[in-house]
Every structure is written in C-alpha cells, then in structure tokens.
Amino acid sequence: MLMPSDLVLPPSPPPSAASASMRSNRHRDTGPELRLRRALHALGHRYRVALPIVTAGRRVRPDLVYPKRKLAVFVDGCFWHRCPKHGRAPTDPTGYWAVKLQRNVNRDLAVTAALVADGWRVTRIWEHESLEEAVALVEAAWQQVGTPLSNKQEPK
C-alpha cells in the first residue's frame, strides 16, 4: 500500500480563486460534523472532539472520539476524501490537486489500519449521508464496543 508520503506533490499551482477557495475550507467544525455532534449529544452521547490519538507513530485527530469505548468517528468530505459517489477530479493542469487528494485517501487508509491495529473501532461517514444514516452508523458502532472494565470495577 502506498503511504501518503510516497506520492510527491508537484509544485503548487499558481495562485487562483479555486486554490484560495480550497485553502480556506475548514478542517474541523464543518456543517455535517456539527449536525452529527448535535444529534448525538441530544441522544445522550458524550464524546471528545478532535482528541489526539497517538498510534503507530502517528498523531491522529478523529472528528469524534469515545475514549473509553475506543471508538473513532471521522466525517469525510466528498471532495477532499474522494467519495466514490460524489468525488470528482479537479481540473488542474499541474496535477497538484489530484496528487493531494490521492495522498488524503492513502492517509485515511493508513490511519484506519493503524487505529484498528491498536484496538480502535473506526467509523467513517461521508458528508453526503443523511443525518439519520450518520447517527445510525455511530450508534451501531457505539453499541458494538463494550466499555472496558477498570481496575475498580467487578464483572457483573
């Protein structure tokens, strides 16, 4: 598997309105992420936002983290993470953005594999999924993971 660093980025494209727009996109607290957080919170879920997790020598910041349940939730944008349904290749003659997006996909795969290897459950949700679908995915993953016993708790 190619690692994110295996793909070398071509030189940055010349400044343009499209590049400025892409650089200004938020990497956290996006609309789909905020809607999901509000819905989960209303259902009684308590989670951490962008909590750093160090795994396999890399620092990862999932969008939502349930530390006790070792559940990491990512809300992936269709463009930035190349959604198979809605992702599209940018029209860029330099090839910069195509390589950049492929590095994002490779990084996502590596991060998911590293978290799973460390015993985490990973849920990835596309931004185009309905709020109901997203909540159902998180709820299903949340219920599959048992809360680990601490040293003070006795098994029931």
Side-chain angles (χ1 to χ4, degrees):
M1 173 191 327
L2 287 175
M3 298 304 291
S5 59
D6 291 342
L7 294 174
V8 178
L9 281 176
S12 296
S16 69
S19 293
S21 174
M22 289 185 201
R23 274 193 308 275
S24 68
N25 286 333
R26 302 180 74 107
H27 67 279
R28 70 176 268 196
D29 298 335
T30 62
E33 182 186 334
L34 290 174
R35 285 189 292 278
L36 178 62
R37 285 177 12 199
R38 284 185 200 111
L40 291 170
H41 194 271
L43 292 173
H45 284 244
R46 298 303 179 255
Y47 46 79
R48 302 283 305 271
V49 176
L51 178 72
I53 301 170
V54 178
T55 180
R58 68 174 54 226
R59 190 169 179 224
V60 181
R61 285 182 176 267
D63 297 314
L64 303 174
V65 181
Y66 295 87
K68 289 181 183 175
R69 292 181 176 260
K70 290 191 88 171
L71 172 61
V73 179
F74 295 88
V75 181
D76 293 336
C78 290
F79 175 78
W80 291 106
H81 299 270
R82 284 206 164 157
C83 166
K85 194 172 187 180
H86 299 107
R88 65 171 189 81
T91 53
D92 171 29
T94 68
Y96 175 85
W97 289 105
V99 173
K100 167 76 174 135
L101 297 180
Q102 188 57 49
R103 284 175 52 149
N104 289 350
V105 171
N106 293 352
R107 184 193 63 228
D108 292 345
L109 293 171
V111 162
T112 298
L115 286 169
V116 168
D118 279 356
W120 286 81
R121 180 173 304 277
V122 178
T123 299
R124 289 194 173 269
I125 298 169
W126 290 110
E127 71 175 332
H128 70 260
E129 292 186 61
S130 73
L131 182 58
E132 294 78 21
E133 290 172 322
V135 168
L137 286 169
V138 175
E139 285 260 296
W142 187 84
Q143 290 183 12
Q144 286 178 354
V145 180
T147 305
L149 295 175
S150 74
N151 293 336
K152 296 179 183 176
Q153 290 179 323
E154 293 296 322
K156 293 180 181 178

